[in-house]
Amino acid sequence: MLNNKGRPTQPTAVSEGETSLKTYTGNKGLDLESPLIFEQGVPGRIGVDMADPQPVKSRLGGIERKGSIGLPDLSEPQVLRHFVRLSRQNYAIDAGFYPLGSCTMKHNPRINEKVARLAGLGDLHPMQPTSTVQGALELVDSLAHWLKTITGMPAVAMSPAAGAHGELCGVMAIRAAHEANGESRARILVPESAHGTNPATAALCGYKVDAVPARKDGRMDLDAFADKLGPDVAGVMLTNPNTCGLFETDVKKIADMVHEVGGYFYCDGANLNAILGRVRPGDLGVDAMHINLHKTFSTPHGGGGPGSGPVVLSEALAPFAPIPFVTHGENGFDLVEQKSGAAVQSFGRMKGYHGQMGMFIRALAYMQSHGADGLRQIAEDAVLNANYIRVGLDDKLHSPFEGICMHEALFDDSTLKGTGVTTLDLAKAMIDEGYHPMTMYFPLVVHGAMLIEPTESESRQTLDQFIGAMRHLLDKATTGESDYFLSAPHFAPRRRLDETGAARNPVLRWLPSAPVETEETPLSAAS
Ligand SMILES: *Cc1c(COP(=O)(O)O)cnc(C)c1O
């Protein structure tokens, strides 16, 4: 079905035999349909009625805009309703349980928000003279102190804007250190189970990515690792706890081995939540590790919000840290912004300004409100909750690796074999149950992987209900009700989307004169 704009009309949540339940408007109670904002626009409609401006002489030298840029004309309530409606069709950690493995979707305490909005913090400008932002620089310095203390590392680069950006920072520091030594090395070793950003980072820095297989117990294969080591290895990128939710037990040995051939040890610290206050990466021989403030330290993420990925560095890599950084001199705090003096070996600048200030404030508020004992309890409760789920499902789902997990429980899809239901179908049915699905098909080393990370901020009641819902769905899938799954989600604002089509033929621009060609999506097309 195509509507008059050439876009497919949305199948409603009501199944076919029940068309009498369709509404006139397409709305379903609180679930309100709305056209694209461009379709709502009416030429000449305005939100704010302002007097015509005084004519001014243009100083743009002829580059000023000549025509309309095609923004819709809307009233203020239309704009407001549009975005409020869209926000209500989104799932969020503030709406419900969000067990998206590896992403640490924990509650964002509201005290953090309050602090971030304090006058003097919320209205800072990055170009203010440092003499007027001494308090802000002290805050960055205090956060740096906490991060160094928690990780047992001597230095930290604060400017990277996300985990992946932190990886880039770490590998650029590794490359700069080799270059300073007059060496150019060719390979970086990365375990097969690694997050995709690890090999992507190594490749972006010009290294050949050499994948190391996993052992049967889900840890990196030490023999294969030893075989691959050589004088052309720039470093290893290892995640601990790894992406299978397991602690890499030989990590000290791995550090020694890579150091022996003159390489560096990059640790992907996205899973720091599991070991906070229990293990210090600095004691494990790590040279560089990013910390996702938006995971471990609760700053909001998802939906493209700002992340923050400070990178702790060893003595060996600290001289190559990016500028700018905060120093503490006789006249208070200062910023080193140029490659001179202490920063002469810096590999340069990663982004404009000094880092994600709003995230720094939230993260420090989170740390200070928990205190050292509270931070340690975070890790303990995160691991406890993950194991509660693991045990609650272990007679229904198969764990590819034996024993206790860390902060996330990993299952494969062997239970679903022969049912016609895939991990993806199960995930769609979870949406109907009101859950954000777990991470699927990652890590790649596990067939049909389901990676469930509850985090410490969920109660036992929430976990029990989730386990109950999963058991119910798995019983349904294994007793011949596969049709239910193939047509899920039934109750979401949108039904099964053509994800392949969306990725291959994305329509990124609204063209009023040329209707978008879209075939109605067969439900089985998503993959
Ligand atoms: C989230 C994550 C990353 C990337 O972090 P971003 O902040 O999303 O860039 C890297 N590695 C692992 C294991 C992760 O979970």
Side-chain angles (χ1 to χ4, degrees):
M1 260 182 300
L2 296 182
N3 67 14
N4 59 2
K5 292 285 185 198
R7 292 190 307 127
T9 54
Q10 286 302 322
T12 67
V14 184
S15 68
E16 286 197 13
E18 301 171 78
T19 41
S20 60
L21 285 177
K22 268 189 177 159
T23 58
Y24 173 79
T25 51
N27 298 335
K28 288 164 233 126
L30 292 179
D31 178 6
L32 303 173
E33 276 300 329
S34 64
L36 294 181
I37 198 160
F38 291 95
E39 295 167 359
Q40 293 182 42
V42 175
R45 186 173 285 165
I46 51 171
V48 186
D49 187 8
M50 287 192 293
D52 287 342
Q54 297 286 332
V56 287
K57 193 166 170 305
S58 171
R59 286 175 296 168
L60 290 172
I63 58 161
E64 55 272 65
R65 176 161 64 79
K66 300 281 185 327
S68 153
I69 57 168
L71 292 179
D73 294 6
L74 300 152
S75 70
E76 181 168 320
Q78 270 187 309
V79 174
L80 195 67
R81 284 180 183 163
H82 178 73
F83 288 107
V84 170
R85 284 176 179 188
L86 284 184
S87 77
R88 295 202 320 198
Q89 296 188 343
N90 246 337
Y91 200 84
I93 183 68
D94 291 344
F97 185 45
Y98 205 133
L100 190 65
S102 212
C103 293
T104 314
M105 304 302 290
K106 62 169 75 175
H107 171 64
N108 313 130
R110 287 309 182 266
I111 182 82
N112 301 354
E113 299 304 317
K114 196 168 168 137
V115 177
R117 283 165 178 73
L118 286 178
L121 289 176
D123 52 9
L124 284 173
H125 192 281
M127 291 180 75
Q128 271 176 250
T130 48
S131 64
T132 68
V133 290
Q134 286 293 302
L137 296 181
E138 182 176 357
L139 190 149
V140 177
D141 193 59
S142 306
L143 177 61
H145 173 76
W146 279 76
L147 293 174
K148 289 184 284 187
T149 305
I150 285 167
T151 57
M153 299 283 282
V156 60
M158 298 299 288
S159 65
H165 204 214
E167 291 174 38
L168 186 63
C169 171
V171 176
M172 285 172 83
I174 289 172
R175 192 176 58 185
H178 285 306
E179 280 169 2
N181 207 19
E183 289 188 76
S184 95
R185 296 186 170 216
R187 283 184 299 144
I188 286 207
L189 306 184
V190 183
E192 275 173 359
S193 64
H195 194 266
T197 49
N198 292 193
T201 299
L204 192 66
C205 291
Y207 289 110
K208 190 171 170 297
V209 178
D210 199 350
V212 187
R215 282 195 312 235
K216 275 208 155 52
D217 67 357
R219 276 88 179 176
M220 189 169 80
D221 186 330
L222 273 198
D223 295 334
F225 178 63
D227 286 347
K228 286 176 182 289
L229 280 174
D232 66 328
V233 167
V236 61
M237 296 181 85
L238 188 76
T239 312
N240 201 21
N242 69 24
T243 54
C244 299
L246 302 169
F247 195 79
E248 289 279 355
T249 43
D250 293 316
V251 67
K252 187 77 183 71
K253 207 162 162 187
I254 291 167
D256 292 344
M257 287 163 78
V258 74
H259 287 152
E260 212 150 284
V261 299
Y264 292 98
F265 178 10
Y266 187 89
C267 182
D268 179 329
N271 295 336
L272 180 64
N273 205 49
I275 56 171
L276 212 49
R278 299 292 308 236
V279 180
R280 297 192 315 166
D283 299 334
L284 301 177
V286 168
D287 291 299
M289 182 182 93
H290 74 261
I291 299 166
N292 305 61
L293 296 186
H294 47 291
K295 293 177 181 173
T296 310
F297 299 110
S298 86
T299 69
H301 64 302
S308 182
V311 178
V312 285
L313 297 165
S314 62
E315 296 284 1
L317 292 184
F320 305 98
I323 45 175
F325 51 81
V326 176
T327 53
H328 198 193
E330 272 173 23
N331 303 319
F333 293 95
D334 207 353
L335 275 168
V336 175
E337 308 228 41
Q338 303 294 333
K339 275 180 72 159
S340 63
V344 79
Q345 283 186 286
S346 166
F347 68 71
R349 184 181 280 271
M350 295 204 75
K351 74 190 283 293
Y353 309 123
H354 328 299
Q356 307 280 44
M357 190 64 193
M359 299 299 112
F360 294 166
I361 301 166
R362 288 172 176 86
L364 187 63
Y366 185 72
M367 291 172 180
Q368 293 195 338
S369 55
H370 278 80
D373 56 335
L375 291 179
R376 184 186 170 105
Q377 197 186 335
I378 285 170
E380 291 167 348
D381 291 349
V383 172
L384 183 65
N385 275 0
N387 280 285
Y388 191 79
I389 287 183
R390 181 180 61 81
V391 172
L393 293 175
D394 73 354
D395 58 327
K396 297 279 175 196
L397 278 174
H398 178 249
S399 300
F401 308 113
E402 286 203 345
I404 291 176
C405 62
M406 295 295 288
H407 60 303
E408 47 198 357
L410 178 61
F411 301 100
D412 63 30
D413 63 354
S414 49
T415 305
L416 298 174
K417 208 169 177 185
T419 62
V421 177
T422 63
T423 296
L424 179 81
D425 302 323
L426 180 69
K428 298 296 181 192
M430 287 168 72
I431 295 174
D432 282 338
E433 296 290 344
Y435 294 116
H436 191 290
M438 67 268 149
T439 289
M440 301 178 284
Y441 302 105
F442 174 81
L444 303 176
V445 291
V446 172
H447 196 271
M450 305 175 200
L451 187 62
I452 305 177
E453 181 180 10
T455 83
E456 71 285 355
S457 59
E458 298 300 337
S459 67
R460 187 167 169 179
Q461 287 95 316
T462 301
L463 301 183
D464 282 335
Q465 195 201 36
F466 175 75
I467 291 167
M470 286 295 281
R471 296 181 70 87
H472 165 80
L473 290 175
L474 290 163
D475 285 344
K476 213 168 163 135
T478 49
T479 52
E481 288 193 57
S482 60
D483 285 354
Y484 175 82
F485 292 87
L486 300 183
S487 53
H490 302 91
F491 307 118
R494 292 294 178 272
R495 303 291 301 276
R496 192 82 66 104
L497 303 176
D498 179 358
E499 291 170 19
T500 310
R504 299 270 157 79
N505 304 307
V507 179
L508 302 175
R509 185 176 284 217
W510 185 74
L511 298 169
S513 51
V516 178
E517 260 185 46
T518 321
E519 277 179 22
E520 198 167 7
T521 309
L523 289 177
S524 58
S527 64

